[in-house]
Amino acid sequence: MYWLTAIVRPFKLNDVYDKLIDEGIGGMTVTEVKGLGSQRSTTEVYRGASYSNDFIPKIKIEIAVSEDSLERIIEAIVESAKTGKPGDGKIFVSKIQQAYRIRTNEIDLDAI
Amino acid sequence: MYWLTAIVRPFKLNDVYDKLIDEGIGGMTVTEVKGLGSQRSTTEVYRGASYSNDFIPKIKIEIAVSEDSLERIIEAIVESAKTGKPGDGKIFVSKIQQAYRIRTNEIDLDAI
Amino acid sequence: MYWLTAIVRPFKLNDVYDKLIDEGIGGMTVTEVKGLGSQRSTTEVYRGASYSNDFIPKIKIEIAVSEDSLERIIEAIVESAKTGKPGDGKIFVSKIQQAYRIRTNEIDLDAI
Amino acid sequence: MNTEALAFEHNYIFNTIFLLFSGALVMWMAAGFSMLEAGLVRSKNTTEILTKNLLLYALACIAYQVLGFDIMYVDNATAGWLPSFGFGIDATAEGATQPREVDFFFQVVFVATAMSIVSGAVAERMKLSAFLIFSIFMTAVIYPVEGYWTWGAGFLGASVEDGGMGFSDFAGSGIVHLAGAMAALSGVILLGPRKGRYSSKGVKAMPGANMPLVALGTFILWMGWLGFNGGSQLTLNSIEDANAVGKIFLNTNAAAAAGALVAYLLSTIIYGKADLTLIVNGALAGLVTITAAPDSPTPAQAVLFGGIGAGIAFFAINFFDKIKIDDPVGAISVHGVAGIVGVMLVPFTKDVSFLTQFIGIAVISAWVFGASFVVWFAIKKIMGVRISEQDEYHGADASECGIEAYPEFVGSQS
Amino acid sequence: MNTEALAFEHNYIFNTIFLLFSGALVMWMAAGFSMLEAGLVRSKNTTEILTKNLLLYALACIAYQVLGFDIMYVDNATAGWLPSFGFGIDATAEGATQPREVDFFFQVVFVATAMSIVSGAVAERMKLSAFLIFSIFMTAVIYPVEGYWTWGAGFLGASVEDGGMGFSDFAGSGIVHLAGAMAALSGVILLGPRKGRYSSKGVKAMPGANMPLVALGTFILWMGWLGFNGGSQLTLNSIEDANAVGKIFLNTNAAAAAGALVAYLLSTIIYGKADLTLIVNGALAGLVTITAAPDSPTPAQAVLFGGIGAGIAFFAINFFDKIKIDDPVGAISVHGVAGIVGVMLVPFTKDVSFLTQFIGIAVISAWVFGASFVVWFAIKKIMGVRISEQDEYHGADASECGIEAYPEFVGSQS
Amino acid sequence: MNTEALAFEHNYIFNTIFLLFSGALVMWMAAGFSMLEAGLVRSKNTTEILTKNLLLYALACIAYQVLGFDIMYVDNATAGWLPSFGFGIDATAEGATQPREVDFFFQVVFVATAMSIVSGAVAERMKLSAFLIFSIFMTAVIYPVEGYWTWGAGFLGASVEDGGMGFSDFAGSGIVHLAGAMAALSGVILLGPRKGRYSSKGVKAMPGANMPLVALGTFILWMGWLGFNGGSQLTLNSIEDANAVGKIFLNTNAAAAAGALVAYLLSTIIYGKADLTLIVNGALAGLVTITAAPDSPTPAQAVLFGGIGAGIAFFAINFFDKIKIDDPVGAISVHGVAGIVGVMLVPFTKDVSFLTQFIGIAVISAWVFGASFVVWFAIKKIMGVRISEQDEYHGADASECGIEAYPEFVGSQS
Ligand SMILES: Nc1ncnc2c1ncn2[C@@H]1O[C@H](COP(=O)(O)OP(=O)(O)O)[C@@H](O)[C@H]1O
Ligand SMILES: Nc1ncnc2c1ncn2[C@@H]1O[C@H](COP(=O)(O)OP(=O)(O)O)[C@@H](O)[C@H]1O
Ligand SMILES: Nc1ncnc2c1ncn2[C@@H]1O[C@H](COP(=O)(O)OP(=O)(O)O)[C@@H](O)[C@H]1O
């Protein structure tokens, strides 16, 4: 099993979500985060003092996936999250040892 | 060492917390997240237009644990977070290579 | 590649950020979290009833790093986040299998 | 035109202007209570308490128009206790010094005030429908009956010469504020505390979600109270009236100021911090205290009285938590306890006995508490007064109104 | 000093006090609209709508001072339709019963009210600059012209004896509220709905970000409306005036109360929950309805009329969503539909024909809708009325004002 | 009753009604400042600034009652400079045209206004206790002394015939607003800027947490200012008074409108966006400017004057940041700079010399700045004026009040 962490643009969340549902994933967990990367932040002026928020709002999507579907899901995210401009985000993949479904005590592939 | 990621219902946080303290864990990190899974969201009506939030508020608990205590802690979370209805959440386990305590420069098991 | 998760004090975020930029890292992702550990929370009184928030606001910084720079970056975080008082936080390191840059389809070291 | 006719006409106009603008200020207090209470509850119960406040005001206006005003003021026997049921907002009596409609408008906003007091105390756990049904009884019958006994020249309020007791409560420390607090108290007792409020670990703090609303509500009430007490002079058509109203404005303002400062000092001494929510309770308790007689104390006395009322209310807030009466906004202490203090301070500046005042308090309290208890109890039996535990957990906003107060701001606090 | 001179002087003072304080209450309605609208939009458009409301009030004051007042009231022919362009705030006419400045102040706050109605309906997608330019035309010309036709004794409002039609609209259900709604409607049609609002999946709910502001705005408007309707008596210098104004306060308050209750009942019956935003729309629709004749109904009729207006407006809100007219705050239903209801109810309590009232509505609607459409259309052609899709996505606060309304609270809702 | 007696009595009542309701509007400005300031600070300092505003109002009322009013108005020598210490709220003089209590009430709310100005400028870093102690000195002594010199007919304000200078400041551009700004300025200089505000990277923006509160506060102040300037006519018992007050309402409103528009234009031209916080500063600067003489300009002049004051204040905001005077809400620019502009514009519409006006400004500024500096300095030496760096980091809410303003909303912005 793999743990897939995708950082995407907030306004792409809906597209990614629709796409992943199409791909038949059963669940995911979403967090509001702030990101720093090659994307430059905009500068605002407040009462004459300019300021820029170095950190840009992003959405982190975490999904536990089986080995089989890993490639397909990465594909799906890349496709639905891309705009081509800096700031589109990244996907990171790591291994999970175990998974449990609290409600049923099911484990591993049955749990996700 | 293992990294344990549990997704639980917000209103169970206190119970899980009490249970984990009983189990003697030394620390944990909690994040407010939104989840998607088998649990169905409720539909609300606002000015006659109905809407449903597909994403349901959840709490993510992250704990670094030693190999010894892993099973015991998973047990504790399952026990205290279960309601038996869809949406109880999951626990995912992965490996950690290293751990550092910033204050003391202690490492690995001493750090967690 | 490694996935580095650092929990630090909110008010140290700026220092850590400046230091990491100095170290030349290309990106990171930041989340507001609540932590529990050896640091004791303060007790407040509201309308005569005292209460303490067991959970203390913390900042979680996540960075994907190459093997080479791992030590240097850990060093940098420790240095810039330390106050010497309980609550300074931890750094956890785990492995990443793959990384993708959504915008360009670059992978692994090129992606981070 | 002769001078007498002119004087009569102008006095009529003076009274009208004065009472209408005073009444507008009292109407405005409905917003004050709404904001205060919305700031002191948790965000998950905010829409519901706003809805409650808006609807109680609306219901009070209609119920008092249909029945309450008739019970309180129309065709009743002087010094009696059983109200008649005459009907008559429209008819301005021959020789009246202001239009009947103006009287009504000024009175109707008082009813709403009394009812507003209740909503805060039962916050975060009561069914909206149960509350609204109670509102009808309170504003159509319970309050008007004791209103007749006092301001309507019934047995309490009629002068001794007229066969009454001469109970003195200028603008309603007892008649309005204590009455509201008693209706609240009986409701709270039947309802029980918010889940998790009292446990073996002691009292759990449940901080209000929005302090600017608390401050705003307080300023609104402070402003509105100038109309509440000032307008209670009822006429402003002579030099004596003008002097009285001037004094009332000054004293009302001074008592509120003193109340805020006393609460600040107590909070700082006892808890080490300036708890804004206790300070606003202090200001309001000062206002409630002076309300029974804002026209007679010297300004220095007004400061003293406001301070005393606020000090006693301060400790009452703690006391009610000790006996597990859960009042999220402190309404019972601020309006009930300070209301009693206010009524009992009247003999220091007016010619009335402590006994009379005490009897007045006892009668109002017994009637409102008793009648309210019966109504709450009946509602409880028939339809229940409390939302389910699950709904309380998720907040009354979702279960009662279907909309969140701040849909974009709040983390999963629940 | 003789009695007549005294009476004259005092009447002059009475009118001045009355109109100035009533006017202050109407001015206060600008805050009410601001808060109501700021609460009903999403947080990313909040600063912009506040800015819009503040600036429209400012613009309305200047535009009406420079041109609008002259068009509406100065040197016009009775029962005519083409206004003259006399200029004259300063000159108080010989024998006038109050200062000209007081007349102006009371009138200028009405213009701002009419304009405030527009801002809510076009919220969350219009360019600030386009809106402000429209405001100038609306307050300098469009509203004043129909104002002349009606209150300025033009062909609609002049009495039948004077050669007019005798159209009756006491405080402006049609002249102010319907007019505002018509300007809004033409703007909304040209502007289109908010992105994502209507799709094959139906109507997407876009919940307002801050319910306490919604309630606060409603209470402010409710309070201000006492001055809006009361002050429209224009003089308060006789017993008759006093009686009228007393009745107006009572009826205005009662109609609002009835409107809130009707909307509560409908919301509970149809949707199962007490939707606060619909309830406030109900209260405001009740107010709009009674505004055409707050001085003639009995209190019971006022309750009835307020309830009818609120009920019809309730269904209108749904209807406009059906035909994809996107009005985030319900302004067109509340001010337009209830405004029509109010005007058409006048014949039940006053001696005027339904036909006259209907013609009045038709003329006002046609003029305001048509003239506004032309202005909106020209603005659209010349500079565009709508912010870019990307700006709409990120919110008008960022693109128009550069500052967030709640920079520390909001998650990435976008 | 004879006509003269009737006229006397009615005039007394007119003045009373007028001053009390005007005073209520000025009292309401305390809420305006609270909301404005609470919206402009960061959320971690919001409860503290609300507490400060509530308590300063309370303290001002008591301090002015105990000492300030006596210093300012009782038993002083005409055209003198050393106040006596007579005591006398209660005594209404024989033949007075309104009750003494009414005078007092109208004056006491002005003191609170002056003090409110200070709280915004020192926000986010001052100890609550230090601020409150300063408040006592300011409202009991510093303001009353210059108040005596001017409105109390001391050497500045007494007419030339009476041996004074004839300094002219109708409602207090200098006496109230500049005075408040000077007290603020001396405090800010001793206190230093907020940590992190000025660095080698330039000025760091610290955006206010809640824009709806900013807009609400502005509307409240705008409304209250009608009472502030209007009520400063002090009597409303003749046709001349009525004309004057009508003009004042019109001009006050027009100057505010012009100020808002000028700030909008400047903000749009210079920064490219409509910065709401600068626009509200513009509206308020317009109000401050017209306050020195709202009764004499034509409406067109009022627009001009309001616009000039707002324009100058706009650039002053930037200037103070350049010289590292950190004023989170712009109070020194809006009340101080525009206050000076207002006083210096008086000679254009009234018969007074620029020199006299200039001397008045110099004396008021020197006295208030100097005396305030001494008091702030003493407080600093004895107990410190500034919270610790750590407390400033975590916010004054935690250290001073122990409660968060929005406990459920805010992420760890710190
Ligand atoms: N090394 C990294 N570790 C963790 N998160 C990263 C890293 N680099 C980028 N990110 C996240 O990915 C987001 C997008 O990255 P960015 O470099 O701005 O755009 P792009 O991926 O298009 O080059 C960032 O805002 C940040 O949240
Ligand atoms: N594949 C997954 N990857 C990551 N998180 C998941 C996954 N499946 C479920 N979750 C998280 O677990 C939560 C509970 O899952 P859900 O399927 O609703 O209930 P249950 O676990 O009772 O079947 C979800 O809201 C989501 O946050
Ligand atoms: N075992 C753990 N697993 C996950 N997070 C932890 C763990 N222990 C501590 N933390 C995080 O690290 C933060 C700091 O830890 P704490 O023990 O308070 O201080 P210190 O690291 O100085 O001893 C905690 O608030 C929590 O967020």
Side-chain angles (χ1 to χ4, degrees), chain A residues 7 33-39 56 58 85-90 92, chain C residues 3 26-29 62-65 101-103 111-112:
Chain A
I7 318 281
V33 298
K34 304 245 156 116
L36 185 90
S38 50
Q39 182 184 7
I56 297 166
K58 296 282 169 192
K85 277 182 249 149
D88 277 355
K90 326 253 164 173
F92 304 106
Chain C
W3 186 248
M28 61 180 171
T29 299
E62 291 170 306
I63 320 175
V65 294
R101 188 190 298 269
I102 293 173
R103 170 163 54 100
I112 63 176

Side-chain angles (χ1 to χ4, degrees), chain F residues 189-207:
Chain F
I189 288 173
L190 271 169
L191 191 59
R194 288 168 290 174
K195 187 165 160 37
R197 174 75 173 155
Y198 304 113
S199 71
S200 53
K201 290 191 225 158
V203 183
K204 185 172 167 210
M206 297 178 165

Side-chain angles (χ1 to χ4, degrees), chain B residues 10-11 32 44 46 57 59, chain D residues 393 398 402-403 411-412 414:
Chain B
F11 88 94
E32 294 168 355
E44 291 293 353
Y46 173 80
I59 290 288
Chain D
Y393 180 80
I403 42 178
S412 55
S414 48

Side-chain angles (χ1 to χ4, degrees), chain C residues 2 6 8 11 17-19 26-27 30 39 50 56 60 63 65 68 72 74 79 85 89-90 108-109 111:
Chain C
Y2 289 92
V8 302
F11 88 94
Y17 166 77
D18 288 345
K19 185 82 187 169
V30 165
Q39 183 184 6
S50 56
I56 297 166
K60 178 163 83 174
I63 320 175
V65 294
D68 307 352
R72 200 162 38 86
I74 290 175
E79 213 172 278
K85 279 182 249 150
K90 325 254 167 178
D108 293 351
L109 284 181

Side-chain angles (χ1 to χ4, degrees), chain B residues 1-2 4 20 23-26 63-77 93 109 112:
Chain B
M1 282 171 306
Y2 289 93
L4 201 151
L20 288 174
E23 293 293 332
I25 71 152
I63 319 175
V65 294
S66 63
E67 183 135 23
D68 307 352
S69 50
L70 180 63
E71 281 312 307
R72 202 161 39 87
I73 290 185
I74 291 175
E75 195 82 348
I77 295 174
V93 180
L109 286 181
I112 64 176

Side-chain angles (χ1 to χ4, degrees), chain E residues 231-244:
Chain E
S232 292
Q233 177 73 11
L234 296 179
T235 55
L236 177 45
N237 58 32
S238 66
I239 289 183
E240 292 69 42
D241 281 344
N243 288 340

